[in-house]
PDB file of all heavy atoms in Angstrom:
ATOM      1  N   PRO B  62     -24.483 -22.668 -11.470  1.00 96.00           N
ATOM      2  CA  PRO B  62     -24.360 -22.282 -10.025  1.00 96.00           C
ATOM      3  C   PRO B  62     -22.983 -21.756  -9.697  1.00 96.00           C
ATOM      4  O   PRO B  62     -22.843 -20.919  -8.754  1.00 96.00           O
ATOM      5  CB  PRO B  62     -24.608 -23.580  -9.325  1.00 96.00           C
ATOM      6  CG  PRO B  62     -25.563 -24.312 -10.333  1.00 96.00           C
ATOM      7  CD  PRO B  62     -25.154 -23.953 -11.695  1.00 96.00           C
ATOM      8  N   SER B  63     -21.920 -22.176 -10.327  1.00 95.00           N
ATOM      9  CA  SER B  63     -20.573 -21.675 -10.026  1.00 95.00           C
ATOM     10  C   SER B  63     -20.356 -20.204 -10.396  1.00 95.00           C
ATOM     11  O   SER B  63     -19.442 -19.591  -9.977  1.00 95.00           O
ATOM     12  CB  SER B  63     -19.537 -22.494 -10.722  1.00 95.00           C
ATOM     13  OG  SER B  63     -19.699 -22.413 -12.155  1.00 95.00           O
ATOM     14  N   GLU B  64     -21.273 -19.671 -11.211  1.00 96.00           N
ATOM     15  CA  GLU B  64     -21.137 -18.243 -11.657  1.00 96.00           C
ATOM     16  C   GLU B  64     -22.008 -17.302 -10.776  1.00 96.00           C
ATOM     17  O   GLU B  64     -21.923 -16.118 -11.011  1.00 96.00           O
ATOM     18  CB  GLU B  64     -21.590 -18.095 -13.100  1.00 96.00           C
ATOM     19  CG  GLU B  64     -20.765 -18.895 -14.091  1.00 96.00           C
ATOM     20  CD  GLU B  64     -21.367 -18.820 -15.457  1.00 96.00           C
ATOM     21  OE1 GLU B  64     -22.294 -19.534 -15.789  1.00 96.00           O
ATOM     22  OE2 GLU B  64     -20.811 -17.996 -16.295  1.00 96.00           O
ATOM     23  N   THR B  65     -22.794 -17.871  -9.958  1.00 96.00           N
ATOM     24  CA  THR B  65     -23.722 -16.859  -9.225  1.00 96.00           C
ATOM     25  C   THR B  65     -23.209 -16.724  -7.831  1.00 96.00           C
ATOM     26  O   THR B  65     -22.518 -17.515  -7.254  1.00 96.00           O
ATOM     27  CB  THR B  65     -25.216 -17.543  -9.136  1.00 96.00           C
ATOM     28  OG1 THR B  65     -25.102 -18.755  -8.440  1.00 96.00           O
ATOM     29  CG2 THR B  65     -25.762 -17.749 -10.503  1.00 96.00           C
ATOM     30  N   PRO B  66     -23.510 -15.515  -7.242  1.00 95.00           N
ATOM     31  CA  PRO B  66     -23.078 -15.165  -5.881  1.00 95.00           C
ATOM     32  C   PRO B  66     -23.508 -16.219  -4.827  1.00 95.00           C
ATOM     33  O   PRO B  66     -22.784 -16.445  -3.888  1.00 95.00           O
ATOM     34  CB  PRO B  66     -23.639 -13.899  -5.677  1.00 95.00           C
ATOM     35  CG  PRO B  66     -24.004 -13.250  -6.983  1.00 95.00           C
ATOM     36  CD  PRO B  66     -24.307 -14.416  -7.856  1.00 95.00           C
ATOM     37  N   ASP B  67     -24.717 -16.708  -4.989  1.00 94.00           N
ATOM     38  CA  ASP B  67     -25.281 -17.671  -3.882  1.00 94.00           C
ATOM     39  C   ASP B  67     -25.140 -19.040  -4.306  1.00 94.00           C
ATOM     40  O   ASP B  67     -25.648 -19.961  -3.563  1.00 94.00           O
ATOM     41  CB  ASP B  67     -26.618 -17.238  -3.507  1.00 94.00           C
ATOM     42  CG  ASP B  67     -27.601 -17.439  -4.574  1.00 94.00           C
ATOM     43  OD1 ASP B  67     -27.194 -17.731  -5.751  1.00 94.00           O
ATOM     44  OD2 ASP B  67     -28.876 -17.208  -4.376  1.00 94.00           O
ATOM     45  N   GLY B  68     -24.490 -19.403  -5.365  1.00 93.00           N
ATOM     46  CA  GLY B  68     -24.259 -20.787  -5.708  1.00 93.00           C
ATOM     47  C   GLY B  68     -25.502 -21.585  -6.201  1.00 93.00           C
ATOM     48  O   GLY B  68     -25.536 -22.801  -6.165  1.00 93.00           O
ATOM     49  N   ARG B  69     -26.491 -20.776  -6.629  1.00 95.00           N
ATOM     50  CA  ARG B  69     -27.676 -21.442  -7.116  1.00 95.00           C
ATOM     51  C   ARG B  69     -27.767 -21.163  -8.616  1.00 95.00           C
ATOM     52  O   ARG B  69     -27.185 -20.193  -9.193  1.00 95.00           O
ATOM     53  CB  ARG B  69     -28.996 -20.906  -6.397  1.00 95.00           C
ATOM     54  CG  ARG B  69     -28.934 -21.099  -4.938  1.00 95.00           C
ATOM     55  CD  ARG B  69     -30.220 -20.873  -4.324  1.00 95.00           C
ATOM     56  NE  ARG B  69     -30.713 -19.416  -4.475  1.00 95.00           N
ATOM     57  CZ  ARG B  69     -31.907 -19.027  -4.282  1.00 95.00           C
ATOM     58  NH1 ARG B  69     -32.888 -19.842  -3.831  1.00 95.00           N
ATOM     59  NH2 ARG B  69     -32.228 -17.795  -4.440  1.00 95.00           N
ATOM     60  N   PRO B  70     -28.588 -21.914  -9.394  1.00 97.00           N
ATOM     61  CA  PRO B  70     -28.750 -21.628 -10.784  1.00 97.00           C
ATOM     62  C   PRO B  70     -29.498 -20.254 -10.988  1.00 97.00           C
ATOM     63  O   PRO B  70     -30.250 -19.839 -10.103  1.00 97.00           O
ATOM     64  CB  PRO B  70     -29.597 -22.794 -11.259  1.00 97.00           C
ATOM     65  CG  PRO B  70     -30.077 -23.524 -10.136  1.00 97.00           C
ATOM     66  CD  PRO B  70     -29.377 -23.156  -8.959  1.00 97.00           C
ATOM     67  N   GLY B  71     -29.123 -19.664 -12.092  1.00 98.00           N
ATOM     68  CA  GLY B  71     -29.808 -18.372 -12.351  1.00 98.00           C
ATOM     69  C   GLY B  71     -29.649 -17.884 -13.741  1.00 98.00           C
ATOM     70  O   GLY B  71     -29.204 -18.648 -14.626  1.00 98.00           O
ATOM     71  N   VAL B  72     -30.157 -16.746 -14.028  1.00 98.00           N
ATOM     72  CA  VAL B  72     -30.055 -16.113 -15.343  1.00 98.00           C
ATOM     73  C   VAL B  72     -29.646 -14.678 -15.227  1.00 98.00           C
ATOM     74  O   VAL B  72     -29.853 -14.033 -14.257  1.00 98.00           O
ATOM     75  CB  VAL B  72     -31.405 -16.121 -16.090  1.00 98.00           C
ATOM     76  CG1 VAL B  72     -31.790 -17.591 -16.473  1.00 98.00           C
ATOM     77  CG2 VAL B  72     -32.548 -15.525 -15.370  1.00 98.00           C
ATOM     78  N   ALA B  73     -28.886 -14.264 -16.269  1.00 98.00           N
ATOM     79  CA  ALA B  73     -28.457 -12.863 -16.395  1.00 98.00           C
ATOM     80  C   ALA B  73     -29.478 -12.141 -17.238  1.00 98.00           C
ATOM     81  O   ALA B  73     -29.903 -12.608 -18.292  1.00 98.00           O
ATOM     82  CB  ALA B  73     -27.044 -12.732 -16.997  1.00 98.00           C
ATOM     83  N   VAL B  74     -29.863 -10.910 -16.762  1.00 98.00           N
ATOM     84  CA  VAL B  74     -30.867 -10.115 -17.544  1.00 98.00           C
ATOM     85  C   VAL B  74     -30.200  -8.747 -17.896  1.00 98.00           C
ATOM     86  O   VAL B  74     -29.580  -8.148 -16.947  1.00 98.00           O
ATOM     87  CB  VAL B  74     -32.136  -9.916 -16.745  1.00 98.00           C
ATOM     88  CG1 VAL B  74     -33.082  -8.888 -17.341  1.00 98.00           C
ATOM     89  CG2 VAL B  74     -32.882 -11.270 -16.547  1.00 98.00           C
ATOM     90  N   LEU B  75     -30.367  -8.313 -19.091  1.00 98.00           N
ATOM     91  CA  LEU B  75     -29.875  -6.965 -19.490  1.00 98.00           C
ATOM     92  C   LEU B  75     -31.041  -6.029 -19.704  1.00 98.00           C
ATOM     93  O   LEU B  75     -32.031  -6.488 -20.263  1.00 98.00           O
ATOM     94  CB  LEU B  75     -28.987  -7.032 -20.734  1.00 98.00           C
ATOM     95  CG  LEU B  75     -27.656  -7.665 -20.725  1.00 98.00           C
ATOM     96  CD1 LEU B  75     -27.068  -7.810 -22.041  1.00 98.00           C
ATOM     97  CD2 LEU B  75     -26.719  -6.916 -19.696  1.00 98.00           C
ATOM     98  N   LEU B  76     -30.945  -4.847 -19.177  1.00 98.00           N
ATOM     99  CA  LEU B  76     -31.891  -3.833 -19.359  1.00 98.00           C
ATOM    100  C   LEU B  76     -31.296  -2.595 -20.000  1.00 98.00           C
ATOM    101  O   LEU B  76     -30.274  -2.175 -19.610  1.00 98.00           O
ATOM    102  CB  LEU B  76     -32.643  -3.388 -18.072  1.00 98.00           C
ATOM    103  CG  LEU B  76     -33.512  -4.367 -17.363  1.00 98.00           C
ATOM    104  CD1 LEU B  76     -32.861  -5.147 -16.376  1.00 98.00           C
ATOM    105  CD2 LEU B  76     -34.746  -3.597 -16.724  1.00 98.00           C
ATOM    106  N   PHE B  77     -32.053  -2.063 -20.968  1.00 98.00           N
ATOM    107  CA  PHE B  77     -31.507  -0.886 -21.727  1.00 98.00           C
ATOM    108  C   PHE B  77     -32.579   0.261 -21.717  1.00 98.00           C
ATOM    109  O   PHE B  77     -33.847  -0.060 -21.815  1.00 98.00           O
ATOM    110  CB  PHE B  77     -31.205  -1.189 -23.114  1.00 98.00           C
ATOM    111  CG  PHE B  77     -30.150  -2.133 -23.341  1.00 98.00           C
ATOM    112  CD1 PHE B  77     -30.273  -3.501 -23.106  1.00 98.00           C
ATOM    113  CD2 PHE B  77     -28.837  -1.778 -23.812  1.00 98.00           C
ATOM    114  CE1 PHE B  77     -29.287  -4.436 -23.354  1.00 98.00           C
ATOM    115  CE2 PHE B  77     -27.815  -2.677 -23.988  1.00 98.00           C
ATOM    116  CZ  PHE B  77     -28.045  -4.028 -23.711  1.00 98.00           C
ATOM    117  N   ALA B  78     -32.199   1.476 -21.459  1.00 98.00           N
ATOM    118  CA  ALA B  78     -33.149   2.607 -21.599  1.00 98.00           C
ATOM    119  C   ALA B  78     -32.406   3.807 -22.098  1.00 98.00           C
ATOM    120  O   ALA B  78     -31.197   3.797 -22.103  1.00 98.00           O
ATOM    121  CB  ALA B  78     -33.836   2.926 -20.248  1.00 98.00           C
ATOM    122  N   ILE B  79     -33.201   4.767 -22.572  1.00 95.00           N
ATOM    123  CA  ILE B  79     -32.516   5.966 -23.235  1.00 95.00           C
ATOM    124  C   ILE B  79     -31.759   6.754 -22.124  1.00 95.00           C
ATOM    125  O   ILE B  79     -30.621   7.216 -22.395  1.00 95.00           O
ATOM    126  CB  ILE B  79     -33.555   6.865 -23.866  1.00 95.00           C
ATOM    127  CG1 ILE B  79     -34.228   6.153 -25.005  1.00 95.00           C
ATOM    128  CG2 ILE B  79     -32.950   8.252 -24.294  1.00 95.00           C
ATOM    129  CD1 ILE B  79     -33.242   5.897 -26.216  1.00 95.00           C
ATOM    130  N   GLY B  80     -32.320   6.968 -20.989  1.00 95.00           N
ATOM    131  CA  GLY B  80     -31.593   7.703 -19.930  1.00 95.00           C
ATOM    132  C   GLY B  80     -31.471   6.908 -18.603  1.00 95.00           C
ATOM    133  O   GLY B  80     -32.143   5.856 -18.436  1.00 95.00           O
ATOM    134  N   GLY B  81     -30.546   7.379 -17.840  1.00 96.00           N
ATOM    135  CA  GLY B  81     -30.275   6.733 -16.526  1.00 96.00           C
ATOM    136  C   GLY B  81     -31.512   6.717 -15.592  1.00 96.00           C
ATOM    137  O   GLY B  81     -31.836   5.727 -14.942  1.00 96.00           O
ATOM    138  N   LYS B  82     -32.207   7.846 -15.603  1.00 97.00           N
ATOM    139  CA  LYS B  82     -33.363   7.963 -14.719  1.00 97.00           C
ATOM    140  C   LYS B  82     -34.461   6.942 -15.095  1.00 97.00           C
ATOM    141  O   LYS B  82     -35.053   6.227 -14.254  1.00 97.00           O
ATOM    142  CB  LYS B  82     -33.881   9.397 -14.769  1.00 97.00           C
ATOM    143  CG  LYS B  82     -34.707   9.741 -13.605  1.00 97.00           C
ATOM    144  CD  LYS B  82     -35.141  11.278 -13.680  1.00 97.00           C
ATOM    145  CE  LYS B  82     -36.278  11.508 -12.649  1.00 97.00           C
ATOM    146  NZ  LYS B  82     -36.863  12.843 -12.931  1.00 97.00           N
ATOM    147  N   GLY B  83     -34.693   6.951 -16.414  1.00 97.00           N
ATOM    148  CA  GLY B  83     -35.730   5.936 -16.856  1.00 97.00           C
ATOM    149  C   GLY B  83     -35.342   4.523 -16.632  1.00 97.00           C
ATOM    150  O   GLY B  83     -36.152   3.699 -16.175  1.00 97.00           O
ATOM    151  N   LEU B  84     -33.981   4.277 -16.778  1.00 98.00           N
ATOM    152  CA  LEU B  84     -33.573   2.863 -16.513  1.00 98.00           C
ATOM    153  C   LEU B  84     -33.796   2.434 -15.103  1.00 98.00           C
ATOM    154  O   LEU B  84     -34.259   1.424 -14.776  1.00 98.00           O
ATOM    155  CB  LEU B  84     -32.122   2.782 -16.942  1.00 98.00           C
ATOM    156  CG  LEU B  84     -31.540   1.324 -16.809  1.00 98.00           C
ATOM    157  CD1 LEU B  84     -32.181   0.411 -17.837  1.00 98.00           C
ATOM    158  CD2 LEU B  84     -30.084   1.348 -16.990  1.00 98.00           C
ATOM    159  N   ALA B  85     -33.375   3.455 -14.215  1.00 98.00           N
ATOM    160  CA  ALA B  85     -33.554   3.138 -12.752  1.00 98.00           C
ATOM    161  C   ALA B  85     -35.040   2.942 -12.410  1.00 98.00           C
ATOM    162  O   ALA B  85     -35.328   2.005 -11.587  1.00 98.00           O
ATOM    163  CB  ALA B  85     -32.939   4.326 -11.942  1.00 98.00           C
ATOM    164  N   GLN B  86     -35.881   3.742 -12.986  1.00 97.00           N
ATOM    165  CA  GLN B  86     -37.326   3.573 -12.722  1.00 97.00           C
ATOM    166  C   GLN B  86     -37.882   2.192 -13.187  1.00 97.00           C
ATOM    167  O   GLN B  86     -38.533   1.517 -12.468  1.00 97.00           O
ATOM    168  CB  GLN B  86     -38.179   4.729 -13.334  1.00 97.00           C
ATOM    169  CG  GLN B  86     -38.132   5.971 -12.579  1.00 97.00           C
ATOM    170  CD  GLN B  86     -38.735   7.120 -13.407  1.00 97.00           C
ATOM    171  OE1 GLN B  86     -39.024   6.974 -14.578  1.00 97.00           O
ATOM    172  NE2 GLN B  86     -38.855   8.306 -12.761  1.00 97.00           N
TER     173      GLN B  86
END
Side-chain angles (χ1 to χ4, degrees):
Chain B
S63 63
E64 298 174 280
T65 61
D67 63 355
R69 300 192 300 168
V72 292
V74 171
L75 289 175
L76 286 96
F77 296 77
I79 294 293
K82 198 176 167 190
L84 184 67
Q86 281 170 351

